[in-house]
mmCIF file with all atom_site columns, all heavy atoms in Angstrom:
data_model
loop_
_atom_site.group_PDB
_atom_site.id
_atom_site.type_symbol
_atom_site.label_atom_id
_atom_site.label_alt_id
_atom_site.label_comp_id
_atom_site.label_asym_id
_atom_site.label_entity_id
_atom_site.label_seq_id
_atom_site.pdbx_PDB_ins_code
_atom_site.Cartn_x
_atom_site.Cartn_y
_atom_site.Cartn_z
_atom_site.occupancy
_atom_site.B_iso_or_equiv
_atom_site.pdbx_formal_charge
_atom_site.auth_seq_id
_atom_site.auth_comp_id
_atom_site.auth_asym_id
_atom_site.auth_atom_id
_atom_site.pdbx_PDB_model_num
ATOM 1  N N   . ASN A 1 53 ? 4.873  -18.122 -25.567 1.00 0.00 ? 53 ASN A N   1
ATOM 2  C CA  . ASN A 1 53 ? 6.232  -18.640 -25.423 1.00 0.00 ? 53 ASN A CA  1
ATOM 3  C C   . ASN A 1 53 ? 7.115  -17.624 -24.696 1.00 0.00 ? 53 ASN A C   1
ATOM 4  O O   . ASN A 1 53 ? 7.916  -17.987 -23.829 1.00 0.00 ? 53 ASN A O   1
ATOM 5  C CB  . ASN A 1 53 ? 6.824  -18.976 -26.792 1.00 0.00 ? 53 ASN A CB  1
ATOM 6  C CG  . ASN A 1 53 ? 8.207  -19.570 -26.678 1.00 0.00 ? 53 ASN A CG  1
ATOM 7  O OD1 . ASN A 1 53 ? 8.452  -20.432 -25.850 1.00 0.00 ? 53 ASN A OD1 1
ATOM 8  N ND2 . ASN A 1 53 ? 9.105  -19.099 -27.518 1.00 0.00 ? 53 ASN A ND2 1
ATOM 9  N N   . MET A 1 54 ? 6.942  -16.354 -25.028 1.00 0.00 ? 54 MET A N   1
ATOM 10 C CA  . MET A 1 54 ? 7.719  -15.303 -24.381 1.00 0.00 ? 54 MET A CA  1
ATOM 11 C C   . MET A 1 54 ? 7.436  -15.265 -22.879 1.00 0.00 ? 54 MET A C   1
ATOM 12 O O   . MET A 1 54 ? 8.353  -15.207 -22.055 1.00 0.00 ? 54 MET A O   1
ATOM 13 C CB  . MET A 1 54 ? 7.383  -13.956 -25.019 1.00 0.00 ? 54 MET A CB  1
ATOM 14 C CG  . MET A 1 54 ? 8.238  -12.817 -24.530 1.00 0.00 ? 54 MET A CG  1
ATOM 15 S SD  . MET A 1 54 ? 7.925  -11.283 -25.405 1.00 0.00 ? 54 MET A SD  1
ATOM 16 C CE  . MET A 1 54 ? 6.309  -10.861 -24.789 1.00 0.00 ? 54 MET A CE  1
ATOM 17 N N   . PHE A 1 55 ? 6.155  -15.335 -22.505 1.00 0.00 ? 55 PHE A N   1
ATOM 18 C CA  . PHE A 1 55 ? 5.801  -15.320 -21.089 1.00 0.00 ? 55 PHE A CA  1
ATOM 19 C C   . PHE A 1 55 ? 6.273  -16.591 -20.381 1.00 0.00 ? 55 PHE A C   1
ATOM 20 O O   . PHE A 1 55 ? 6.669  -16.535 -19.216 1.00 0.00 ? 55 PHE A O   1
ATOM 21 C CB  . PHE A 1 55 ? 4.299  -15.120 -20.901 1.00 0.00 ? 55 PHE A CB  1
ATOM 22 C CG  . PHE A 1 55 ? 3.851  -13.726 -21.225 1.00 0.00 ? 55 PHE A CG  1
ATOM 23 C CD1 . PHE A 1 55 ? 2.729  -13.507 -22.004 1.00 0.00 ? 55 PHE A CD1 1
ATOM 24 C CD2 . PHE A 1 55 ? 4.544  -12.618 -20.772 1.00 0.00 ? 55 PHE A CD2 1
ATOM 25 C CE1 . PHE A 1 55 ? 2.322  -12.221 -22.305 1.00 0.00 ? 55 PHE A CE1 1
ATOM 26 C CE2 . PHE A 1 55 ? 4.145  -11.331 -21.059 1.00 0.00 ? 55 PHE A CE2 1
ATOM 27 C CZ  . PHE A 1 55 ? 3.032  -11.131 -21.839 1.00 0.00 ? 55 PHE A CZ  1
ATOM 28 N N   . ASP A 1 56 ? 6.241  -17.720 -21.072 1.00 0.00 ? 56 ASP A N   1
ATOM 29 C CA  . ASP A 1 56 ? 6.766  -18.959 -20.485 1.00 0.00 ? 56 ASP A CA  1
ATOM 30 C C   . ASP A 1 56 ? 8.256  -18.808 -20.174 1.00 0.00 ? 56 ASP A C   1
ATOM 31 O O   . ASP A 1 56 ? 8.720  -19.233 -19.110 1.00 0.00 ? 56 ASP A O   1
ATOM 32 C CB  . ASP A 1 56 ? 6.555  -20.153 -21.419 1.00 0.00 ? 56 ASP A CB  1
ATOM 33 C CG  . ASP A 1 56 ? 5.108  -20.595 -21.484 1.00 0.00 ? 56 ASP A CG  1
ATOM 34 O OD1 . ASP A 1 56 ? 4.309  -20.221 -20.590 1.00 0.00 ? 56 ASP A OD1 1
ATOM 35 O OD2 . ASP A 1 56 ? 4.762  -21.340 -22.440 1.00 0.00 ? 56 ASP A OD2 1
ATOM 36 N N   . GLN A 1 57 ? 8.992  -18.212 -21.100 1.00 0.00 ? 57 GLN A N   1
ATOM 37 C CA  . GLN A 1 57 ? 10.422 -17.993 -20.874 1.00 0.00 ? 57 GLN A CA  1
ATOM 38 C C   . GLN A 1 57 ? 10.659 -17.070 -19.679 1.00 0.00 ? 57 GLN A C   1
ATOM 39 O O   . GLN A 1 57 ? 11.537 -17.326 -18.847 1.00 0.00 ? 57 GLN A O   1
ATOM 40 C CB  . GLN A 1 57 ? 11.074 -17.388 -22.117 1.00 0.00 ? 57 GLN A CB  1
ATOM 41 C CG  . GLN A 1 57 ? 11.194 -18.348 -23.278 1.00 0.00 ? 57 GLN A CG  1
ATOM 42 C CD  . GLN A 1 57 ? 11.845 -17.667 -24.473 1.00 0.00 ? 57 GLN A CD  1
ATOM 43 O OE1 . GLN A 1 57 ? 12.877 -17.003 -24.340 1.00 0.00 ? 57 GLN A OE1 1
ATOM 44 N NE2 . GLN A 1 57 ? 11.229 -17.810 -25.640 1.00 0.00 ? 57 GLN A NE2 1
ATOM 45 N N   . MET A 1 58 ? 9.859  -15.998 -19.590 1.00 0.00 ? 58 MET A N   1
ATOM 46 C CA  . MET A 1 58 ? 10.000 -15.076 -18.465 1.00 0.00 ? 58 MET A CA  1
ATOM 47 C C   . MET A 1 58 ? 9.641  -15.763 -17.150 1.00 0.00 ? 58 MET A C   1
ATOM 48 O O   . MET A 1 58 ? 10.325 -15.601 -16.144 1.00 0.00 ? 58 MET A O   1
ATOM 49 C CB  . MET A 1 58 ? 9.118  -13.837 -18.661 1.00 0.00 ? 58 MET A CB  1
ATOM 50 C CG  . MET A 1 58 ? 9.633  -12.867 -19.699 1.00 0.00 ? 58 MET A CG  1
ATOM 51 S SD  . MET A 1 58 ? 11.254 -12.190 -19.323 1.00 0.00 ? 58 MET A SD  1
ATOM 52 C CE  . MET A 1 58 ? 10.893 -11.243 -17.857 1.00 0.00 ? 58 MET A CE  1
ATOM 53 N N   . ARG A 1 59 ? 8.556  -16.537 -17.163 1.00 0.00 ? 59 ARG A N   1
ATOM 54 C CA  . ARG A 1 59 ? 8.124  -17.248 -15.957 1.00 0.00 ? 59 ARG A CA  1
ATOM 55 C C   . ARG A 1 59 ? 9.222  -18.223 -15.502 1.00 0.00 ? 59 ARG A C   1
ATOM 56 O O   . ARG A 1 59 ? 9.540  -18.299 -14.313 1.00 0.00 ? 59 ARG A O   1
ATOM 57 C CB  . ARG A 1 59 ? 6.820  -18.001 -16.235 1.00 0.00 ? 59 ARG A CB  1
ATOM 58 C CG  . ARG A 1 59 ? 6.173  -18.575 -14.999 1.00 0.00 ? 59 ARG A CG  1
ATOM 59 C CD  . ARG A 1 59 ? 4.836  -19.251 -15.302 1.00 0.00 ? 59 ARG A CD  1
ATOM 60 N NE  . ARG A 1 59 ? 3.904  -18.360 -15.970 1.00 0.00 ? 59 ARG A NE  1
ATOM 61 C CZ  . ARG A 1 59 ? 3.514  -18.491 -17.251 1.00 0.00 ? 59 ARG A CZ  1
ATOM 62 N NH1 . ARG A 1 59 ? 3.970  -19.464 -18.000 1.00 0.00 ? 59 ARG A NH1 1
ATOM 63 N NH2 . ARG A 1 59 ? 2.658  -17.636 -17.782 1.00 0.00 ? 59 ARG A NH2 1
ATOM 64 N N   . ASP A 1 60 ? 9.818  -18.950 -16.447 1.00 0.00 ? 60 ASP A N   1
ATOM 65 C CA  . ASP A 1 60 ? 10.890 -19.888 -16.103 1.00 0.00 ? 60 ASP A CA  1
ATOM 66 C C   . ASP A 1 60 ? 12.103 -19.155 -15.527 1.00 0.00 ? 60 ASP A C   1
ATOM 67 O O   . ASP A 1 60 ? 12.727 -19.621 -14.572 1.00 0.00 ? 60 ASP A O   1
ATOM 68 C CB  . ASP A 1 60 ? 11.310 -20.703 -17.327 1.00 0.00 ? 60 ASP A CB  1
ATOM 69 C CG  . ASP A 1 60 ? 10.242 -21.685 -17.780 1.00 0.00 ? 60 ASP A CG  1
ATOM 70 O OD1 . ASP A 1 60 ? 9.289  -21.958 -17.000 1.00 0.00 ? 60 ASP A OD1 1
ATOM 71 O OD2 . ASP A 1 60 ? 10.350 -22.178 -18.926 1.00 0.00 ? 60 ASP A OD2 1
ATOM 72 N N   . ALA A 1 61 ? 12.419 -17.996 -16.100 1.00 0.00 ? 61 ALA A N   1
ATOM 73 C CA  . ALA A 1 61 ? 13.555 -17.212 -15.614 1.00 0.00 ? 61 ALA A CA  1
ATOM 74 C C   . ALA A 1 61 ? 13.302 -16.724 -14.188 1.00 0.00 ? 61 ALA A C   1
ATOM 75 O O   . ALA A 1 61 ? 14.195 -16.780 -13.332 1.00 0.00 ? 61 ALA A O   1
ATOM 76 C CB  . ALA A 1 61 ? 13.826 -16.035 -16.545 1.00 0.00 ? 61 ALA A CB  1
ATOM 77 N N   . VAL A 1 62 ? 12.089 -16.281 -13.917 1.00 0.00 ? 62 VAL A N   1
ATOM 78 C CA  . VAL A 1 62 ? 11.737 -15.812 -12.567 1.00 0.00 ? 62 VAL A CA  1
ATOM 79 C C   . VAL A 1 62 ? 11.794 -16.971 -11.580 1.00 0.00 ? 62 VAL A C   1
ATOM 80 O O   . VAL A 1 62 ? 12.308 -16.832 -10.465 1.00 0.00 ? 62 VAL A O   1
ATOM 81 C CB  . VAL A 1 62 ? 10.342 -15.144 -12.556 1.00 0.00 ? 62 VAL A CB  1
ATOM 82 C CG1 . VAL A 1 62 ? 9.858  -14.906 -11.136 1.00 0.00 ? 62 VAL A CG1 1
ATOM 83 C CG2 . VAL A 1 62 ? 10.389 -13.834 -13.324 1.00 0.00 ? 62 VAL A CG2 1
ATOM 84 N N   . LYS A 1 63 ? 11.294 -18.141 -11.974 1.00 0.00 ? 63 LYS A N   1
ATOM 85 C CA  . LYS A 1 63 ? 11.340 -19.312 -11.090 1.00 0.00 ? 63 LYS A CA  1
ATOM 86 C C   . LYS A 1 63 ? 12.778 -19.693 -10.760 1.00 0.00 ? 63 LYS A C   1
ATOM 87 O O   . LYS A 1 63 ? 13.081 -20.078 -9.634  1.00 0.00 ? 63 LYS A O   1
ATOM 88 C CB  . LYS A 1 63 ? 10.620 -20.497 -11.734 1.00 0.00 ? 63 LYS A CB  1
ATOM 89 C CG  . LYS A 1 63 ? 9.118  -20.373 -11.687 1.00 0.00 ? 63 LYS A CG  1
ATOM 90 C CD  . LYS A 1 63 ? 8.452  -21.580 -12.326 1.00 0.00 ? 63 LYS A CD  1
ATOM 91 C CE  . LYS A 1 63 ? 6.948  -21.419 -12.338 1.00 0.00 ? 63 LYS A CE  1
ATOM 92 N NZ  . LYS A 1 63 ? 6.284  -22.526 -13.021 1.00 0.00 ? 63 LYS A NZ  1
#
Side-chain angles (χ1 to χ4, degrees):
N53 182 45
M54 186 175 71
F55 288 134
D56 287 343
Q57 289 180 48
M58 286 299 294
R59 190 177 304 111
D60 291 345
V62 169
K63 284 181 183 176

